[in-house]
Amino acid sequence: MTGPGPAGLASAGSGPRVAVVGVHGHGASHVRNVARLAAAGRVRFAAVADPHPPDHRPEGVASFADLPSLLAATPVDVVVICTPIQTHVPLAELALRSGADVLLEKPPTASLVEFEQLSSVLAETGRSCQVGFQVAGSRAARTLASLVADGRLGELRGIGAVGAWVRTAEYWQRARWAGRRSLDGIAVVDGAVTNPFAHATAAALMVDGSARADQVVSVETELFRANPIEADDTSAVRTVTSRGTTVVTAVTLCADLPDAEPMVIVHGSEGRAVLRYPSDRLEVTIGGRTTTTQYERDDLLENLLDHRADPDLPLLAPLSETGGFTRVVEAVRVAPPPSEIPAELVRWEGEGPQRRPIVLEVEKSVTQAAEDLALFSELGAPWACKNNRTTKRSTDR
């Protein structure tokens, strides 16, 4: 452990003491964000924890090998957790029981049992848990949710979410848990639907006003893979909410072209709206007239800090509002293993860590699924023929 220096971000300001657990990959962005808030005097950057010490960390910030060591040595008010999926619940519980509030990266849990366990700990401790669904901070997404709730788009025909990205072998080799359904007997569920495109489903349910667990009635999954992994890399999921809305998420990590911007598409009787959630752009078409608006995004950590100061100010992404998404995770978890896409429908490019599969006409299929609110097999996608279909219906509500 390297202790804090005599000056620096750890001692700057008098705000809440914040620690970051998991500092590599996406965790590095959390380190930068906390450093930004510390420099502004909003928080004190107390410490980081990671088995592999960060290459660079702000001056005066202590470094520990793990969260237990950190909590034993340093008082902390807020813990940001950006670690492997299967560690989320034990680390979050440890932080909450220490008296800290938590910003927990998505997906918050790998199963409904874990979700209920973490919910119980929150009720017991009275602490707060914000989940790292950045789309919840998007004012574009919240505006679209208001349009739907107010009936501005008319009666909903459904909501489609589409994503088509490129991921190489290096992505699936980034960690032991990458692309795994389970590891050492513990659920991981690191597939396209539940991790890289988790925001797509979460945003669609949020827009429908159906983000809680009791607002999801059923889930169907069609899971496929072109990569030599356990989890899915090309999938369609159809969810029906208690409002009667059909939500279809269709995604792939085996696209031909460089990453396209994921979209949430609302189909209404009086209009249509397209949310491009990474850029927070909202296109609304009503009466043949289309308006496109660029929105800002609220920072989830800042919102958590504001909630700590004023509990009447709601969290943007409380754990309770991710229960619907967790029901989708559960359906993927208990579904049969993804079907392997036939070799004749896959073209491989690149070598070594940059090698990647391209699934035949996959961009066309994921887009059509979101537009038609249909599963791949219903669209006649070549890799989803009847004898190669993996479908699971969950009606456990």
Side-chain angles (χ1 to χ4, degrees):
M1 186 268 287
T2 302
L9 295 177
S11 58
S14 58
R17 297 158 297 195
V18 181
V20 178
V21 184
V23 301
H24 298 285
H26 184 51
S29 66
H30 286 294
V31 171
R32 291 191 295 271
N33 193 39
V34 177
R36 173 184 68 87
L37 294 173
R42 183 79 194 273
V43 303
R44 287 174 285 172
F45 199 159
V48 298
D50 197 294
H52 306 287
D55 296 329
H56 304 283
R57 60 186 168 87
E59 179 187 357
V61 175
S63 180
F64 298 86
D66 53 38
L67 180 58
S69 300
L70 186 157
L71 293 175
T74 306
V76 177
D77 301 303
V78 177
V79 177
V80 180
I81 298 174
C82 188
T83 58
I85 299 167
Q86 70 274 17
T87 68
H88 283 185
V89 172
L91 291 178
E93 181 171 354
L94 182 63
L96 293 166
R97 292 195 184 283
S98 77
D101 295 313
V102 169
L103 172 58
L104 180 63
E105 258 308 326
K106 58 79 184 166
T109 73
S111 70
L112 271 177
V113 169
E114 287 187 337
F115 179 84
E116 291 162 359
Q117 175 186 342
L118 188 54
S119 298
S120 295
V121 174
L122 285 171
E124 178 186 340
T125 60
R127 305 313 309 175
S128 297
C129 179
Q130 178 101 286
V131 180
F133 280 114
Q134 296 102 321
V135 71
S138 168
R139 297 182 186 180
R142 300 206 298 274
T143 298
L144 179 53
S146 295
L147 291 176
V148 170
D150 294 343
R152 292 282 305 279
L153 298 174
E155 184 177 348
L156 289 195
R157 182 168 67 85
I159 300 175
V162 58
W165 285 349
V166 171
R167 291 295 180 270
T168 64
E170 185 176 31
Y171 176 81
W172 301 112
Q173 296 165 2
R174 71 192 189 278
R176 281 186 68 224
W177 56 270
R180 301 292 295 269
R181 288 166 63 86
S182 65
L183 182 65
D184 301 329
I186 301 173
V188 177
V189 202
D190 179 44
V193 172
T194 55
N195 195 3
F197 287 114
H199 297 291
T201 300
L205 292 174
M206 170 188 167
V207 164
D208 188 55
S210 302
R212 298 195 310 273
D214 62 357
Q215 293 175 306
V216 168
V217 175
S218 65
V219 183
E220 294 172 276
T221 65
E222 289 191 351
L223 311 177
F224 300 91
R225 64 172 181 83
N227 286 279
I229 58 175
E230 288 183 357
D232 61 296
D233 58 35
T234 300
S235 297
V237 175
R238 181 161 56 201
T239 304
V240 177
T241 72
S242 57
R243 294 187 57 192
T245 304
T246 296
V247 177
V248 170
T249 303
V251 297
T252 184
L253 297 172
C254 305
D256 187 6
L257 302 175
D259 291 359
E261 194 168 26
M263 298 181 295
V264 172
I265 306 167
V266 178
H267 307 277
S269 61
E270 301 297 325
R272 167 189 170 96
V274 178
L275 168 66
R276 302 178 189 275
Y277 65 78
S279 62
D280 299 313
R281 281 191 298 138
L282 179 60
E283 303 166 9
V284 179
T285 302
I286 300 177
R289 181 171 179 267
T290 300
T291 58
T292 301
T293 308
Q294 179 78 49
Y295 289 84
E296 294 182 349
R297 180 173 292 194
D298 296 312
D299 182 77
L300 296 182
L301 179 54
E302 291 188 66
N303 172 247
L304 175 57
L305 296 172
D306 291 340
H307 174 74
R308 283 173 51 86
D310 180 6
D312 290 333
L313 181 71
L315 292 173
L316 291 172
L319 182 69
S320 60
E321 292 295 312
T322 66
F325 169 77
T326 305
R327 283 197 174 273
V328 173
V329 173
E330 180 74 0
V332 172
R333 185 184 72 84
V334 302
S339 296
E340 184 175 0
I341 297 174
E344 63 270 19
L345 301 177
V346 181
R347 184 177 85 252
W348 289 87
E349 288 189 353
E351 298 292 337
Q354 298 307 309
R355 183 170 167 78
R356 67 182 181 95
I358 300 168
V359 174
L360 179 68
E361 297 184 351
V362 71
E363 284 103 334
K364 174 184 175 182
S365 292
V366 295
T367 300
Q368 188 178 357
E371 291 288 354
D372 296 351
L373 303 173
L375 299 175
F376 293 147
S377 60
E378 297 164 348
L379 297 173
W383 64 86
C385 57
K386 187 174 182 180
N387 63 358
N388 191 45
R389 181 178 173 183
T390 301
T391 304
K392 172 74 178 181
R393 176 177 287 273
S394 172
T395 54
D396 54 352
R397 214 195 106 197

